[in-house]
Amino acid sequence: MRHAPRRLLGVLAAATLAFTLFSAAPTAVATTTASVASAAQPLSTSTPVVFVHGYTGSASNWTTAMSVFRLNGWSSSNLFAYEYNSYGNNITNAQGLATYVNTVKARTGASKVAIVNHSMGGLVSQYYLKVLGGNTSVSHLASIAGANHGTTYAGACLIYTTCQQMYPGSSFIAQITAGDETPGTTAYATWYSACDGVIIPYTSTRLDGATNNNVLCQTHIGYLTDTVVLGQIADFVAS
C-alpha cells in the first residue's frame, strides 16, 4: 500500500503525456498545411499567348491548346494564332511574327506576350527572338517538337525554301543556334520525344539554356491534342 501513490502518480503522468501528444498532433498538421497553402502562389493568366503552327499547319492546329489554356484561366481575348506561308521563307515568316506580336501588344495593352510553337514554328520563333530581337517582347517561349536544330525529314520537301532552311546544317539553322540559343530574360522550355517520328534526330528540339522536357512517348502531331503536355505548357507560361 505504501507504493500505491507512486503507481497512481505514474499512471497520471502517462495519461497526461498521451493526452498532450494526441491533442498536439492536429495542431502540428494544421500548421504545416497552413504553411504549404501560404507558400502557393497564384498563377498569372493575363499574359497574351501567340501560337505559331508548324509546316503546312494553320490556326486550327491550336483548337485543343486554346481550350486547355481557357480551362487554366485565360480569356479567349488573350489567345492568338499566327499564320504564315509554309512554302515561302522563314525570315519573312519571322518578320511577319514580329508585326503580329506588336499588333497583339497594341490590342491588349500588354508589354510582353508568350509564344507557343510547334515543329517549324520553332524556326520562325527562334529567328524572331534571336535575330530580330523579339526576346524583349516575349516573356515565355514554349517549343513543342520544334525543329530548332533542323530535321532530316525536311529532305522530302527541299524544293521549298522553308524546308531547305529546316534541314540540319543550313545557314538558317547556323544563324539561330550560334552563340546563345536562349537570349534575353525570356523563360524558355521545350517538349520532345523519341516517338516523334518527324523531328530527326528527336533531340533537335532541345535548346541550351532552356528547361528541356523529355516526354515518354508522343508523336509529332499527337502533341497538338495531348492535354497533359498542353496543361504543363499552360502552367509554364503562367509561372
Side-chain angles (χ1 to χ4, degrees):
M1 294 297 294
R2 289 179 306 188
H3 300 292
R6 292 183 181 178
R7 292 197 187 96
L8 179 60
L9 288 174
V11 170
L12 289 174
T16 301
L17 177 60
F19 177 78
T20 302
L21 289 174
F22 282 104
S23 62
T27 304
V29 171
T31 302
T32 302
T33 302
S35 298
V36 171
S38 63
Q41 297 296 320
L43 298 178
S44 173
T45 57
S46 59
T47 302
V49 181
V50 175
F51 295 92
V52 184
H53 65 76
Y55 180 69
T56 71
S58 68
S60 65
N61 291 164
W62 301 110
T63 300
T64 302
M66 288 189 177
S67 294
V68 170
F69 271 71
R70 283 193 294 269
L71 287 173
N72 279 274
W74 266 266
S75 165
S76 294
S77 60
N78 271 337
L79 300 175
F80 303 86
Y82 170 61
E83 293 189 308
Y84 60 87
N85 180 9
S86 291
Y87 311 106
N89 188 312
N90 280 321
I91 294 176
T92 302
N93 294 335
Q95 291 168 341
L97 177 58
T99 300
Y100 191 81
V101 167
N102 288 337
T103 300
V104 169
K105 288 167 58 181
R107 181 181 302 179
T108 61
S111 59
K112 292 187 176 183
V113 306
I115 288 180
V116 178
N117 66 57
H118 177 245
S119 194
M120 194 172 75
L123 301 189
V124 177
S125 303
Q126 287 300 105
Y127 195 93
Y128 165 56
L129 266 73
K130 181 168 182 174
V131 182
L132 302 181
N135 62 83
T136 58
S137 292
V138 179
S139 63
H140 296 74
L141 184 286
S143 187
I144 311 171
N148 300 322
H149 293 90
T151 171
T152 58
Y153 198 86
C157 56
L158 291 178
I159 59 172
Y160 300 114
T161 300
T162 48
C163 289
Q164 294 169 17
Q165 294 169 330
M166 191 163 43
Y167 199 81
S170 71
S171 59
F172 186 95
I173 296 293
Q175 191 171 11
I176 64 173
T177 58
D180 188 359
E181 294 186 347
T182 52
T185 59
T186 303
Y188 295 79
T190 73
W191 281 259
Y192 66 103
S193 174
C195 298
D196 187 294
V198 172
I199 301 302
I200 305 170
Y202 72 96
T203 53
S204 172
T205 297
R206 295 172 58 93
L207 291 171
D208 288 341
T211 299
N212 297 297
N213 301 281
N214 189 351
V215 180
L216 183 60
C217 192
Q218 184 53 277
T219 63
H220 192 67
I221 300 300
Y223 280 111
L224 298 175
T225 54
D226 187 332
T227 56
V228 173
V229 169
L230 294 171
Q232 293 172 0
I233 293 168
D235 286 343
F236 164 70
V237 173
S239 65

